[in-house]
Amino acid sequence: MNEKHIRGKFGEDYTADYLLNKGMKIISRNFRRKGGELDIVALDGKMLVVVEVKARKLGSLTDGLDAMTPKKLQSIIRTAQRFIDETDVDFDEMRFDVAELTLTTEKIPRVLEFSYYEDAFTADF
């Protein structure tokens, strides 16, 4: 596993722990379909929450939110629709959140900053 994958997995694990501590139930991680991936899908009560995790190393030229391009958003939305179509998860509402982490450059990273944005973007289904 290369450094980028290690940081990404570390960021996803950290975010999953954060969500669990908030009382959410993780129902899927790394849901992949052609053209897209959902990092974390969780339930917050009857709210289906799709979480995009953006982990960046200290000194990165761009922050995680800058990487949320219109193309990336469309990919997440399309993949979320596939998730809904393929699973029998029971939910009343849905939202898209973004977790942004800044990590050290050490072999085993540490979190320097963590920001969590609820309802970061919307989609019409």
Side-chain angles (χ1 to χ4, degrees):
M1 200 181 304
N2 67 30
E3 182 183 336
K4 183 177 179 181
H5 286 108
I6 291 169
R7 273 196 318 276
K9 179 162 178 8
F10 184 88
E12 289 174 9
D13 290 345
Y14 186 94
T15 302
D17 287 344
Y18 171 82
L19 297 174
L20 291 170
N21 286 330
K22 287 186 66 165
M24 293 189 201
K25 178 182 177 187
I26 307 293
I27 57 173
S28 181
R29 290 191 54 184
N30 304 114
F31 177 86
R32 288 185 177 93
R33 293 298 179 265
K34 185 176 180 179
E37 176 186 5
L38 304 178
D39 294 330
I40 300 173
V41 181
L43 279 172
D44 187 5
K46 295 292 271 179
M47 173 81 67
L48 184 68
V49 182
V50 175
V51 183
E52 176 68 11
V53 179
K54 293 296 184 188
R56 296 286 188 259
K57 66 182 175 183
L58 181 64
S60 180
L61 296 177
T62 61
D63 64 23
L65 291 181
D66 287 340
M68 299 299 293
T69 64
K71 183 177 178 181
K72 178 66 174 175
L73 297 177
Q74 287 304 315
S75 171
I76 294 168
I77 292 165
R78 276 193 313 273
T79 307
Q81 184 62 58
R82 286 183 178 163
F83 179 85
I84 292 166
D85 293 345
E86 294 178 18
T87 62
D88 61 355
V89 63
D90 182 31
F91 67 98
D92 292 335
E93 297 180 83
M94 180 176 184
R95 74 171 191 251
F96 294 90
D97 296 356
V98 175
E100 184 179 33
L101 299 93
T102 302
L103 306 174
T104 61
T105 57
E106 301 159 339
K107 188 169 186 160
I108 299 173
R110 289 179 296 115
V111 175
L112 297 172
E113 293 180 32
F114 178 79
S115 298
Y116 191 84
Y117 304 95
E118 284 189 13
D119 216 7
F121 61 96
T122 58
D124 295 321
F125 287 101

